[in-house]
Amino acid sequence: MEETPEKNNQENNDDSRPQLLILIRQLAILIAVVVLFVVLIFVALRVYTRHGQNVSVPELRRLSLTEVKKICDERGLKFEISDSVYSSNAAPGTVIDQTPPATFKVKKERTIFLTIKAYSVEQVAMPSLKDLSIQSAQAQLATVGLGVGKISYKPDIAHNAVIEQMFNGKPIPAGTRVAKGSLIDLVLGKDEGITKTVVPDLKSYSLYTARLVAAQNSLNIGAEIGDGTVKTQADSLSAVIYKQSPAKGRMVLPGSEIDVWITTDQSKLNNAEFVSDDSNNQPSQSDDESLDDF
């Protein structure tokens, strides 16, 4: 018997329905797998980054490593010693700096990098400075971690050249081991025909920079007078000069001293005026004539 067209269409429809259901089921499974995969990724990232588990970095400066370990363990932090330096105002083995700083928000298991005071002072070899200019002598000393101390003068044809290098009041030969950070006093030659030098402008300089600038002008830093903001050694290192005496531009004898006033209050730099030489705050002088003009 011959099948009619209506019967054939019905059979085709019956065959296509299961295929459509299979396709829809497979698509649903694929969508579910993709959604599950995305959810797992977000959960993994949340666990990996410890979302919402920020902790505040504790203040570790001035603490011993034993105290540091106890505090870090309590907060779920790690620490690592990144450097050790000599500091005269800290106990050996204690923390003098940290990165990140205290109160900084970090994830748990974060490593805090510490700088501690060395248990012993690093020793460096004294360079030979004889016949060098003051600028070259400064550079040589800085290279090995030393600095310029007091500058004095002796009559000599080699004007402003080093004729003696001294440490603790005694000559120090080249090659002698000395504590890193020590200040080396220099005796420079003085041409008798040159009697005075100009006082530089030290305002806004740190004490370290001021000593370098003063030395380059054949002068010394005298009294260092801190205001109420300078309370610790760290404050003095970050402080800047806001007044000086003698005033900038004055002519003084080589080797004279400049008294400086220091602060950590930057607003004082805008308001301060240089101390007058005839004010109540008398500057340190190595010679009564050092403040006389030509």
Side-chain angles (χ1 to χ4, degrees):
M1 179 184 291
E2 186 177 349
E3 294 182 353
T4 63
E6 290 80 0
K7 187 175 182 179
N8 289 334
N9 290 337
Q10 184 178 0
E11 290 176 351
N12 291 335
N13 289 337
D14 291 341
D15 292 339
S16 63
R17 286 174 183 172
Q19 294 177 356
L20 180 60
L21 290 175
I22 292 172
L23 181 61
I24 293 174
R25 188 181 301 113
Q26 291 175 338
L27 183 61
I29 293 173
L30 179 61
I31 293 173
V33 170
V34 172
V35 170
L36 179 61
F37 182 70
V38 172
V39 170
L40 288 176
I41 289 178
F42 275 104
V43 171
L45 287 174
R46 185 183 182 90
V47 172
Y48 179 75
T49 59
R50 295 175 176 84
H51 182 73
Q53 297 185 29
N54 286 348
V55 295
S56 179
V57 174
E59 175 61 76
L60 302 176
R61 290 178 298 177
R62 295 180 294 277
L63 299 182
S64 68
L65 293 181
T66 301
E67 295 170 318
V68 168
K69 185 178 187 308
K70 179 180 179 182
I71 293 174
C72 286
D73 287 346
E74 291 173 350
R75 301 204 183 190
L77 298 171
K78 299 178 181 180
F79 71 91
E80 180 179 320
I81 299 172
S82 60
D83 196 10
S84 61
V85 298
Y86 177 73
S87 174
S88 60
N89 63 332
T94 56
V95 178
I96 58 178
D97 198 10
Q98 65 181 82
T99 303
T103 72
F104 197 84
K105 298 294 184 181
V106 299
K107 305 293 184 185
K108 284 190 175 182
E109 300 298 319
R110 172 72 182 272
T111 298
I112 311 301
F113 295 95
L114 306 177
T115 299
I116 66 170
K117 178 183 175 179
Y119 287 92
S120 60
V121 182
E122 182 181 353
Q123 301 286 311
V124 297
M126 177 67 200
S128 176
L129 307 177
K130 187 172 176 58
D131 297 327
L132 295 182
S133 68
I134 182 62
Q135 291 84 357
S136 296
Q138 283 180 328
Q140 287 274 18
L141 290 171
T143 299
V144 297
L146 301 174
V148 175
K150 292 294 183 180
I151 295 176
S152 58
Y153 283 83
K154 285 185 178 180
D156 195 277
I157 191 172
H159 182 68
N160 266 350
V162 178
I163 56 178
E164 290 183 38
Q165 52 195 44
M166 311 285 289
F167 182 62
N168 290 335
K170 298 179 180 179
I172 177 170
T176 304
R177 307 296 291 184
V178 62
K180 189 173 183 179
S182 297
L183 299 180
I184 306 301
D185 299 332
L186 301 178
V187 180
L188 306 182
K190 177 183 176 183
D191 186 339
E192 292 300 316
I194 300 177
T195 58
K196 294 191 177 182
T197 184
V198 66
V199 175
D201 183 356
L202 301 181
K203 184 178 179 182
S204 81
Y205 287 155
S206 67
L207 284 174
Y208 175 80
T209 303
R211 291 189 187 100
L212 296 180
V213 173
Q216 290 171 0
N217 288 270
S218 306
L219 298 171
N220 295 297
I221 296 299
E224 301 167 3
I225 306 163
D227 66 357
T229 66
V230 182
K231 300 177 181 178
T232 66
Q233 179 68 19
D235 291 337
S236 67
L237 292 176
S238 61
V240 294
I241 294 170
Y242 69 98
K243 289 194 295 186
Q244 70 178 75
S245 179
K248 63 178 180 179
R250 293 299 300 270
M251 302 301 297
V252 297
L253 293 174
S256 297
E257 294 184 344
I258 307 172
D259 292 340
V260 294
W261 284 255
I262 59 175
T263 183
T264 61
D265 183 359
Q266 294 291 326
S267 65
K268 285 193 173 183
L269 294 177
N270 300 323
N271 300 325
E273 296 181 357
F274 291 98
V275 177
S276 171
D277 294 328
D278 56 2
S279 67
N280 292 330
N281 298 306
Q282 295 298 324
S284 299
Q285 301 175 35
S286 61
D287 193 293
D288 291 339
E289 296 177 355
S290 64
L291 297 180
D292 294 337
D293 291 329
F294 275 130

